[in-house]
Amino acid sequence: MDIKQVATLMNGITTEILGEGAVVNEDLSNIVDIGKAIFDNTTYDHYVKTLVDHIGRMIFVDRKYTGGMASLYRDSWEYGAVMEKVYGLKLPNAVENETWDLQDGASYDPNIFTKPEVAAKFFDKRTTFEVDLSIADKQAKSAFSSAQQLNAFVSMLTTDVDKSLTVKQEGLAQRTMTNLIASTIAAEFPSVSDGDYSSSTGVKAINLLKLYNTQFNLTGNAALTADNCLYSAEFIRFATLTITKTMARLKKIS
């Protein structure tokens, strides 16, 4: 096997960076993968089939994955036990304030009962899942030369479990939002049976493309389509403004 020294390659790269030599195509096909060579010629741990009995230095891939899912999840108290949500059905009506028009000798009864209209919801259902990963205590200990290495190995496995849970929760959150969007569209346009909502828009399900073409009287070949609308700067500005206005309106009580 032809083994090339990395130092020779580095010297060549340095001359290229400094402009002292021309840029050449390096042939890296004969560079030996030392890690693979060792694993190919060393006995494996017969239990997990992945760890050699002992190597002087070990590096564990222990990078966490946080994901970018929306904040849809709640803690164990909110959904681990029964939670009661109490809310008012409607806002109380305003009445005339008689303290500004008091009459001499008149009687004013302050103990007037105004019944509040409230309702309650109970959340007592749970859907759980778990990620299982076993660690062989005796066999794992024999593969390391120190407690620090064993601790790093266990930490890596724990991170992998957390990473797996994060990926699954992120996917579940995305599918929850996708289902909400689909349910909203179906409820807004129950008369559409063929699944073509391109000509429909409403209050809850807003078709930005239809609103844009209608507002600017774009018809025929001039009208934007779902395939090319995202490449139009004017449409992107219109869509961003409409979405921002809608989000601001959703914050107002109604």
Side-chain angles (χ1 to χ4, degrees):
M1 180 180 293
D2 182 16
I3 300 178
K4 290 185 178 180
Q5 295 296 327
V6 178
T8 304
L9 296 176
M10 293 299 99
N11 290 333
I13 293 174
T14 302
T15 58
E16 294 175 6
I17 295 175
L18 297 179
E20 298 176 355
V23 178
V24 296
N25 292 328
E26 292 289 349
D27 181 12
L28 305 179
S29 59
N30 291 324
I31 299 299
V32 175
D33 186 343
I34 301 298
K36 184 177 184 300
I38 291 177
F39 271 78
D40 286 343
N41 296 278
T42 308
T43 56
Y44 290 95
D45 183 339
H46 294 288
Y47 185 79
V48 295
K49 304 298 184 184
T50 56
L51 296 174
V52 295
D53 189 56
H54 185 274
I55 285 184
R57 181 178 181 183
M58 307 185 73
I59 298 176
F60 299 93
V61 180
D62 192 14
R63 289 188 292 268
K64 292 184 179 297
Y65 175 71
T66 57
M69 59 186 174
S71 179
L72 300 180
Y73 294 98
R74 297 297 180 263
D75 58 28
S76 59
W77 166 248
E78 290 175 301
Y79 287 105
V82 176
M83 183 180 71
E84 179 183 7
K85 180 179 180 182
V86 182
Y87 57 95
L89 293 177
K90 67 177 183 179
L91 296 179
N93 294 325
V95 297
E96 182 180 358
N97 187 349
E98 296 181 345
T99 58
W100 300 103
D101 189 22
L102 298 178
Q103 302 295 326
D104 185 26
S107 176
Y108 299 92
D109 184 8
N111 300 315
I112 300 176
F113 176 71
T114 303
K115 180 183 178 181
E117 296 187 30
V118 298
K121 287 184 178 181
F122 294 90
F123 299 91
D124 58 351
K125 293 183 179 180
R126 298 183 64 181
T127 301
T128 61
F129 63 91
E130 64 182 19
V131 175
D132 297 325
L133 185 64
S134 301
I135 301 176
D137 181 78
K138 184 180 294 185
Q139 287 80 2
K141 286 181 179 179
S142 67
F144 306 104
S145 58
S146 66
Q148 288 76 14
Q149 287 186 352
L150 177 60
N151 181 66
F153 174 70
V154 175
S155 176
M156 180 195 69
L157 296 182
T158 303
T159 300
D160 286 344
V161 172
D162 291 339
K163 193 182 303 181
S164 177
L165 284 171
T166 301
V167 170
K168 291 171 175 57
Q169 289 176 342
E170 186 177 29
L172 182 60
Q174 291 172 343
R175 281 156 180 77
T176 300
M177 290 185 291
T178 301
N179 180 73
L180 173 62
I181 294 172
S183 299
T184 301
I185 294 175
E188 187 85 348
F189 312 113
S191 60
V192 177
S193 58
D194 58 356
D196 184 10
Y197 299 95
S198 59
S199 60
S200 305
T201 186
V203 178
K204 295 180 179 180
I206 302 175
N207 189 335
L208 295 172
L209 182 58
K210 175 177 172 53
L211 291 179
Y212 180 81
N213 288 330
T214 301
Q215 181 168 336
F216 295 99
N217 298 320
L218 301 178
T219 58
N221 294 331
L224 293 181
T225 65
D227 295 329
N228 61 18
C229 65
L230 295 181
Y231 300 97
S232 170
E234 290 77 10
F235 173 75
I236 295 298
R237 286 193 288 268
F238 171 82
T240 302
L241 177 62
T242 305
I243 293 173
T244 303
K245 286 183 177 179
T246 303
M247 292 174 61
R249 290 166 181 165
L250 288 174
K251 295 179 181 179
K252 296 182 179 298
I253 190 168
S254 63

